[in-house]
Amino acid sequence: MKALTVQPGRKDSLEIRDLPEPPVSDGSVLVECMEIGLCGTDVEIIAGEFGEAPRGTDFLVLGHESVGRVVEAPTSSGFATGDLVVGMVRRLGSNPCEACLKGEWDMCRGHEYVEHGIKQLHGFARERWRTHPESLVRLPAELGRLGVLLEPASIVAKAWENITHIGRRSVLAPSSVVVTGAGPIGLLAALLGVQRGFDVHVFDIFEDGLKPSLVRALGATYHHGRLSESGLSPDIAIDCSGSATVIEEVVKIGAPGGVTCLVGFPRAGTSTQLDLGLAALQFVLGNRVLLGSMNANARHFSQAAAALTAADPAWLERMLTRRIPLEQYREMLPYRPDDVKIVLDFAPHPI
Ligand code: BGC
C-alpha cells in the first residue's frame, strides 16, 4: 500500500513508499484514508527541521491531520464499517506522566508522548492504517471530507477551553476578541469565537483575497493594518501567526483582566526587543494572563466536532483551497498566497 514518507532530519526526503498492510498489533480498527491536511508542522518535517522516526526505522509516514472511513472493526470497538473517523495525534509513550494517565496527554509534563506523523509514530498519510478505538473520533457522516479540519479545530477548541477556564476566576465578558493570523488555525479560532457570540477581529497582512473574504463571511472584522494602530484593547487575544513581531504586538495590547493565548511560536533565530519589564508591569497591574496552548485531548476533539458540525459547510469547504491527488504530492509546496488548507486526496472518488 502507498504511504507518503520522510526521513526525519533530511531535507526534501519526501517520497511515496510501498509499505506492508498495517499489523493488527497497531489496533483493532482498520481505517481507509480519505484526506490528509498539511500544516506548518508538516512543512518543518519536510524541510528536515522537525520530526522523529519510530524507533528502529529511518523513515516516518507523514500526516497528523486526517479523515477516513472504517473498513474493519470488531463490534466491541463501538465502531462500524463505513464510520467517518479521525485519528487523534498524541498517544501515550512508554513512561506516561500523571496528566497523560488521566487522558490529559495534551498537558504532558514530560516528553514521553508519541505523535502520529510527528514523533516516533507513523502518521495517517497511507492508504490504510490501524488504531485502537480509544484513539479514534467518530464524526457525523454529513461532514464527509471536511472532517480533515477536525485536528486543527481541536487545537483551537483547547485554546478556547483554557481561556474560558481562566475567565472563570473573575469576570471575563469580552467586548472584543482579537485573532492574529488568518491561516487555518486563525480562521478556526475566529469561527469558534463567532460561535460564542463574540465580536471577533482578525489581523493578517493580506489586503484582499480569500482570507479577508472568509473572515467577513463569518461576520467577523478583517484588518490588514497593525494591531497596535487599530485602537483595540481586546479582552481575549489569540495569536495564530507564530510571528515574533506579531506576538510582541499581541503581548503589548490587551484589556485589564484579559487573556492572551499563544498557539504558535516563531522559528529559532527570529526574535524582537520586547521590554519584558514593561510587559510584566502591564500584566501585573491589569491581572492579565499570558497562556501557551499546545495539542488537544479527546475532549477537545469532541468540542471541535461540535464546532465543525455547527459551521456552514460551504464556508469550511472554501478553506480547503487545494486538493492534490497523492501521486502529485510534489505540487503541494510551496504555499501560494491564497492557500489556506492544502489537502492530499487519497480517495479520488467522491463518497
Ligand atoms: C499538532 C499538534 C502537535 C504539535 C507538536 C501540531 O502541528 O497539531 O497536535 O502536538 O504539532 O508536535
Side-chain angles (χ1 to χ4, degrees):
M1 86 176 162
K2 287 183 204 137
L4 189 62
T5 67
V6 290
Q7 284 177 273
R10 240 194 75 196
K11 192 174 184 308
D12 298 332
S13 60
L14 196 61
E15 61 174 339
I16 292 180
R17 286 181 194 230
D18 194 22
L19 294 186
E21 290 296 319
V24 175
S25 57
D26 280 0
S28 61
V29 186
L30 180 66
V31 178
E32 180 182 59
C33 179
M34 289 160 58
E35 307 241 319
I36 291 293
L38 188 79
C39 84
T41 305
D42 299 304
V43 175
E44 284 179 17
I45 295 172
I46 293 167
E49 294 165 4
F50 195 51
E52 283 175 58
R55 294 199 201 286
T57 59
D58 67 347
F59 71 93
L60 173 74
V61 176
L62 203 68
H64 62 278
E65 296 182 4
S66 72
V67 65
R69 286 238 177 252
V70 171
V71 286
E72 191 185 299
T75 322
S76 59
S77 69
F79 289 89
T81 305
D83 279 353
L84 187 73
V85 287
V86 169
M88 285 186 273
V89 178
R90 197 172 276 192
R91 302 269 297 272
L92 306 196
S94 49
N95 187 17
C97 72
E98 273 176 42
C100 286
L101 288 172
K102 285 189 172 160
E104 306 265 332
W105 54 75
D106 57 311
M107 299 296 286
C108 179
R109 298 162 68 88
H111 291 283
E112 286 300 322
Y113 58 81
V114 291
E115 289 183 333
H116 281 287
I118 301 175
K119 185 175 181 278
Q120 296 170 15
L121 202 57
H122 283 319
F124 306 118
R126 40 188 163 149
E127 288 179 289
R128 283 167 295 282
W129 45 271
R130 279 183 177 276
T131 196
H132 303 285
E134 58 274 18
S135 299
L136 268 186
V137 183
R138 188 188 1 250
L139 286 176
E142 60 268 24
L143 265 182
R145 292 162 185 266
L146 297 175
V148 76
L149 292 169
L150 186 71
E151 196 279 338
S154 74
I155 300 297
V156 295
K158 170 176 172 176
W160 272 110
E161 186 195 67
N162 273 270
I163 292 166
T164 310
H165 277 314
I166 294 166
R168 289 203 190 107
R169 72 192 162 142
S170 178
V171 178
L172 183 66
S175 57
S176 64
V177 170
V178 158
V179 174
T180 42
I185 293 286
L187 288 167
L188 290 167
L191 168 72
L192 269 68
V194 170
Q195 286 180 339
R196 283 161 174 73
F198 298 144
D199 174 27
V200 178
H201 296 257
V202 180
F203 287 73
D204 206 321
I205 53 173
F206 301 95
E207 283 187 35
D208 50 33
L210 182 60
K211 290 175 183 174
S213 159
L214 281 167
V215 170
R216 290 182 190 121
L218 277 179
T221 309
Y222 181 83
H223 305 252
H224 75 269
R226 291 178 64 133
L227 174 57
S228 53
E229 288 160 11
S230 68
L232 287 167
S233 179
D235 301 281
I236 296 173
I238 308 178
D239 178 69
C240 306
S241 74
S243 146
T245 45
V246 176
I247 291 172
E248 177 168 354
E249 293 222 329
V250 176
V251 165
K252 281 182 180 164
I253 276 176
V259 184
T260 303
C261 177
L262 310 182
V263 297
F265 50 87
R267 283 168 168 247
T270 50
S271 56
T272 66
Q273 301 291 318
L274 176 71
D275 180 341
L276 200 52
L278 181 61
L281 178 111
Q282 290 167 335
F283 273 83
V284 173
L285 292 185
N287 287 297
R288 290 174 57 199
V289 173
L290 181 61
L291 158 76
S293 183
M294 162 65 58
N295 194 253
N297 66 39
R299 193 174 64 243
H300 308 124
F301 274 84
S302 307
Q303 293 163 358
L308 291 188
T309 309
D312 173 7
W315 185 86
L316 296 174
E317 185 69 50
R318 288 176 72 201
M319 282 185 65
L320 307 181
T321 40
R322 276 194 295 143
R323 193 172 256 138
I324 295 167
L326 171 65
E327 288 73 18
Q328 291 163 31
Y329 68 93
R330 288 187 195 284
E331 290 172 19
M332 287 189 305
L333 294 172
Y335 277 106
R336 298 177 189 165
D338 244 6
D339 273 330
V340 177
K341 177 60 72 187
I342 300 171
V343 291
L344 259 189
D345 192 349
F346 272 70
H349 305 294
I351 48 159

